[in-house]
Amino acid sequence: MENTPTQQKLPGWTWLAPLPLIMVFDFISLPFQYSVTTSFYLTASISLVLVHWWGPLRVLPAVFIVNTYNNYFYGIENIALWPLFGLTDTLSVFSSWFLFTHLYKGKYYLPDTRNTSVFAIFGLLIPILISVLAWQLLYVADDKLLPENILWQFSRDLLGELIVHGILV
């Protein structure tokens, strides 16, 4: 029987690696910040890759920790909203894994056109829509975004996320 990537046992260091990796990519994203968001947000991209490689148990806690505690650097002063901002990316990364790997039984190494197209829709597009919409609602709740500007900010952030994820993932 051939050993496929999903049948191999992962080494122990994969339990520790997500936190520093995601933290480094988050700090790399900081200089690209504009207004209330960033034009080159690498944290979500690396998180999507890692969750499909190593699974949600290893990656999701690190995503939540980094996205919760680094809100200060992104200008979110209301500490009560930090866990909610942490949940937006965590939910996005989880939905990517759940929809693509669990529900549609996709293969993360994308061996054929079917897996690639299913990943593009259920592993990228839907999770990005969830994340960007949640960000906009939280920005309005934090008074960082006026409700009448939500459509403009949503489309700008959605385009930016699609470009970054399309290039990096």
Side-chain angles (χ1 to χ4, degrees):
M1 179 180 219
E2 183 181 320
N3 236 4
T4 62
T6 56
Q7 294 174 328
Q8 298 172 355
K9 184 175 164 76
L10 295 171
W13 60 266
T14 59
W15 287 97
L16 303 173
L19 186 63
L21 274 172
I22 294 169
M23 183 73 75
V24 165
F25 277 83
D26 196 57
F27 283 127
I28 291 171
S29 300
L30 277 172
F32 299 99
Q33 183 178 358
Y34 66 90
S35 70
V36 294
T37 188
T38 179
S39 62
F40 201 63
Y41 189 61
L42 302 172
T43 309
S45 297
I46 190 66
S47 299
L48 285 174
V49 170
L50 294 178
V51 79
H52 290 288
W53 281 356
W54 297 338
L57 290 178
R58 288 175 168 85
V59 177
L60 292 178
V63 172
F64 180 75
I65 290 168
V66 170
N67 286 299
T68 298
Y69 291 106
N70 285 358
N71 279 305
Y72 173 77
F73 299 113
Y74 288 98
I76 307 301
E77 296 164 2
N78 186 349
I79 296 174
L81 290 177
W82 287 9
L84 295 176
F85 275 99
L87 278 176
T88 59
D89 278 350
T90 307
L91 179 62
S92 174
V93 172
F94 175 75
S95 65
S96 175
W97 173 84
F98 181 78
L99 291 172
F100 177 68
T101 303
H102 185 71
L103 193 62
Y104 285 96
K105 307 293 185 219
K107 295 175 177 73
Y108 67 88
Y109 50 96
L110 306 176
D112 54 30
T113 307
R114 180 204 171 272
N115 277 283
T116 304
S117 58
V118 169
F119 180 73
I121 295 168
F122 296 101
L124 288 177
L125 182 61
I126 292 173
I128 289 170
L129 286 169
I130 291 169
S131 179
V132 173
L133 180 61
W135 285 339
Q136 306 316 310
L137 296 174
L138 285 170
Y139 292 146
V140 169
D142 194 33
D143 294 328
K144 299 282 185 192
L145 180 65
L146 296 172
E148 55 267 14
N149 294 337
I150 198 167
L151 186 58
W152 166 249
Q153 186 75 28
F154 177 82
S155 59
R156 186 171 70 169
D157 287 354
L158 180 62
L159 179 61
E161 287 292 314
L162 289 173
I163 290 170
V164 169
H165 281 71
I167 292 171
L168 297 177
V169 176

